[in-house]
Amino acid sequence: MTRIIACALATLAPLPALALSCLPHSVEATYQRAAKAEESYVVVQGRLTFDASALPKGGTIGINPPEETPIRAQISGKALSEGGFDVPFDQPLTLNVQCFGPWCGSAEEGDVLAFLERKPDGAYALESNPCGGDLFGSPKPAMVDKVIACFQGAECTPVR
């Protein structure tokens, strides 16, 4: 009888919660990944604009949003060079919001620090995923300074 009760209770117990495990999202780690990539990247500090209603909504167990949602966007600001963020930059881009199962990347209009991939055709793309991707919203001055330091060859070890 005890076994029957134990089995019955086990079937009523909640299933383990699914969890998404990400490495810490840091400008140092993103900078290093972009620097090592075969693709070409431009780092821009500026204002991102897009239609926020096009962002995917996170799913629920068994109902997942699309794996990728491309959204037309615009970024206006300054690109990184040897002198810091001092090169005027105003370009359209594709904001590619990715979902891993029910978890989706996010983005907000406003001030950003963005690692833009420059495609072979000259177009720009920006990836946001549930673990952060290449986008940092409302960057703090220390983040901006760190990216400049990384670009200039200073210590660029990701924070763990």
Side-chain angles (χ1 to χ4, degrees):
M1 182 68 152
T2 305
R3 281 190 180 176
I4 294 171
I5 293 172
C7 287
L9 289 175
T11 60
L12 298 175
L15 295 174
L18 297 175
L20 179 64
S21 180
C22 299
L23 294 173
H25 186 227
S26 72
V27 292
E28 297 92 340
T30 305
Y31 181 88
Q32 288 183 351
R33 184 181 45 76
K36 293 175 185 172
E38 290 183 20
E39 299 83 9
S40 177
Y41 282 83
V42 176
V43 186
V44 177
Q45 181 184 12
R47 182 160 184 77
L48 179 67
T49 56
F50 61 95
D51 178 7
S53 69
L55 288 168
K57 307 293 184 260
T60 58
I61 294 176
I63 304 172
N64 292 332
E67 289 183 13
E68 294 188 356
T69 302
I71 302 169
R72 290 188 314 181
Q74 181 81 22
I75 192 165
S76 301
K78 304 278 180 148
L80 182 60
S81 76
E82 291 291 332
F85 286 96
D86 60 1
V87 178
F89 192 93
D90 189 7
Q91 294 289 324
L93 60 95
T94 299
L95 173 60
N96 187 26
V97 182
Q98 298 179 333
C99 297
F100 303 159
W103 301 276
C104 293
S106 65
E108 292 182 9
E109 287 193 305
D111 294 332
V112 298
L113 181 61
F115 291 73
L116 306 178
E117 180 184 348
R118 185 177 174 134
K119 301 289 188 176
D121 65 0
Y124 291 95
L126 174 59
E127 180 182 301
S128 175
N129 64 51
C131 292
D134 297 332
L135 179 62
F136 297 85
S138 302
K140 306 229 178 316
M143 295 168 71
V144 174
D145 292 344
K146 190 59 172 178
V147 171
I148 293 169
C150 289
F151 187 77
Q152 293 173 341
E155 176 64 31
C156 191
T157 303
V159 177
R160 298 270 178 214

